[in-house]
Amino acid sequence: MSGSFVLSNPISHKTLPFRPTSRLLPKPNRPTSSRFLLDPTPVPSKVSRLPGNVLVRTSIRDSDTKETSSSSSPLVGEDSAVFDIGEQKIVSWVYFSVVLGVVLFVLNVAWLDGSPSGLGLGKAFIDSVSGLSDSPEVVMLLLTLIFAVVHSGLASLRDSGEKVMGERAYRVLFAGTSLPLAISTVVYFINHRYDGVQLWQLQGAPGVHQLVWFANFVSFFFLYPSTFNLLEVAAVDKPKMHLWETGIMRITRHPQMVGQVMWCLAHTLWIGNSVALAASVGLIGHHLFGAWNGDRRLAIRYGEAFEAVKSRTSTVPFAAIIEGRQKLPKDYYKEFLRLPYLSITALTLFAYFAHPLMQAGSFGLHW
């Protein structure tokens, strides 16, 4: 479940000219992002390296990676997980730190703090939902359903909402509504994960711990590339709806859904009770709907450009590769040797070792 809420690093933007190619349909229904790579001709790009010769940014159009698009069609989507240290502005990260501090303060006072000095709305919310049923399985499903309706509903209303409020204001509304509900659902799951009926007990079986650990670790690498845009997530940069095509998108067009399914199956296998099963059913159902809804929204926004990306990607992992619709470049690994994925590795390991801290924090809320 926590895999849905982990963020990484931002993606910088650089305007490129729009050049239609003979291999694509004339033009999307609506303007595409300024970073779409419509020109198959290699163009020089900045490359930065961290200590240890780790690639931080390599454009898919670099002259030394001509075989990046080994398929006959040029890329029309964006290069994901790009992070150019040289293009980062200190003032933007100062704003981000201030925004993050304000958000955490308001979240604590309004939602988490149940003392006389806080509002404690989170406990009131959990109590109201828990009052609907004595079954922890039902409460788990209800919390997941409430989050799913609000999260996907606001995502579906994004285009019209941004026209009325603007991109930044709507992002604040979206995050300010979704984040407390997500935290409540996670906390309730942690506090009640061993309630309910025990269906199986495999924690002592040989290899199960290693399998669960590996599946959880890999699941975080399937984070949707847009979650790397920390400056956009915090509305420091103007939020955009992106059409990604490289990196994890070559494996599956809906990586967050795949990662969430992996996380749910691993935790359900490990815990083995009815509450874990209820949480997994709710979360997997929500992400399956999100995959369909995401395709629908991208088709509306980008038209033929999205159809071109859809034709050479797949929802089922590796399906497009196996079918020959997706041709991986020889240096495909370079699309993962980037700072956001290094950050994901560090954060995932930290989250594993910080499980006792997360459990203690959840118990302290008495939800």
Side-chain angles (χ1 to χ4, degrees), residues 113-125:
D113 189 357
S115 68
S117 60
L119 296 178
L121 297 178
K123 186 178 189 311
F125 170 68

Side-chain angles (χ1 to χ4, degrees), residues 70-265:
S70 56
S71 62
S72 59
S73 300
L75 296 174
V76 299
E78 293 181 71
D79 187 8
S80 67
V82 174
F83 186 87
D84 191 336
I85 295 178
E87 292 185 359
Q88 303 306 305
K89 298 179 180 179
I90 296 179
V91 66
S92 295
W93 288 101
V94 170
Y95 286 150
F96 172 81
S97 301
V98 172
V99 169
L100 180 62
V102 170
V103 167
L104 294 178
F105 175 78
V106 172
L107 182 65
N108 180 63
V109 172
W111 201 258
L112 303 178
D113 189 357
S115 68
S117 60
L119 296 178
L121 297 178
K123 186 178 189 311
F125 170 68
I126 292 291
D127 289 344
S128 64
V129 177
S130 299
L132 298 176
S133 175
D134 294 330
S135 168
E137 296 89 349
V138 172
V139 175
M140 190 74 252
L141 282 172
L142 287 174
L143 289 172
T144 306
L145 178 62
I146 292 170
F147 168 77
V149 170
V150 172
H151 188 78
S152 293
L154 289 175
S156 298
L157 296 173
R158 178 176 179 174
D159 286 343
S160 57
E162 287 182 343
K163 291 178 182 178
V164 175
M165 303 175 58
E167 291 89 344
R168 287 187 171 89
Y170 195 79
R171 173 55 58 89
V172 171
L173 172 65
F174 178 80
T177 306
S178 300
L179 183 59
L181 296 177
I183 290 177
S184 297
T185 306
V186 172
V187 170
Y188 185 87
F189 173 77
I190 293 175
N191 287 346
H192 297 271
R193 68 193 185 281
Y194 289 119
D195 294 348
V197 180
Q198 194 68 34
L199 303 175
W200 57 79
Q201 182 61 263
L202 299 176
Q203 293 185 4
V208 170
H209 180 268
Q210 291 80 0
L211 174 63
V212 169
W213 190 94
F214 179 76
N216 277 287
F217 182 80
V218 173
S219 72
F220 281 85
F221 287 89
F222 283 84
L223 285 174
Y224 189 66
S226 287
T227 60
F228 296 150
N229 294 359
L230 281 186
L231 295 182
E232 286 189 26
V233 170
V236 174
D237 287 348
K238 184 179 293 186
K240 301 178 180 65
M241 184 185 294
H242 297 272
L243 180 61
W244 305 110
E245 193 174 0
T246 66
I248 199 68
M249 307 301 283
R250 296 182 186 272
I251 296 175
T252 171
R253 192 168 63 254
H254 295 288
Q256 192 174 50
M257 180 271 290
V258 173
Q260 186 68 78
V261 170
M262 294 177 64
W263 187 96
C264 287
L265 293 179

Side-chain angles (χ1 to χ4, degrees), residues 10-16 34-37 43-50 53-62 64-65 78-88 334-342:
I11 295 177
S12 60
H13 294 270
K14 185 178 292 185
T15 303
L16 297 176
S34 60
R35 296 182 67 247
F36 280 10
L37 311 177
V43 175
S45 177
K46 294 181 180 179
V47 176
S48 302
R49 295 182 182 273
L50 293 176
N53 202 36
V54 177
L55 187 64
V56 176
R57 179 182 189 276
T58 300
S59 172
I60 293 304
R61 306 169 73 209
D62 285 349
D64 60 345
T65 57
E78 293 181 71
D79 187 8
S80 67
V82 174
F83 186 87
D84 191 336
I85 295 178
E87 292 185 359
Q88 303 306 305
K334 290 183 179 180
E335 297 179 5
F336 289 92
L337 296 181
R338 292 170 172 174
L339 188 57
Y341 283 107
L342 295 177

Side-chain angles (χ1 to χ4, degrees), residues 19-42:
R19 299 176 183 173
T21 69
S22 59
R23 299 185 184 276
L24 296 177
L25 295 175
K27 191 175 182 180
N29 293 336
R30 301 180 65 175
T32 58
S33 169
S34 60
R35 296 182 67 247
F36 280 10
L37 311 177
L38 292 178
D39 187 354
T41 304

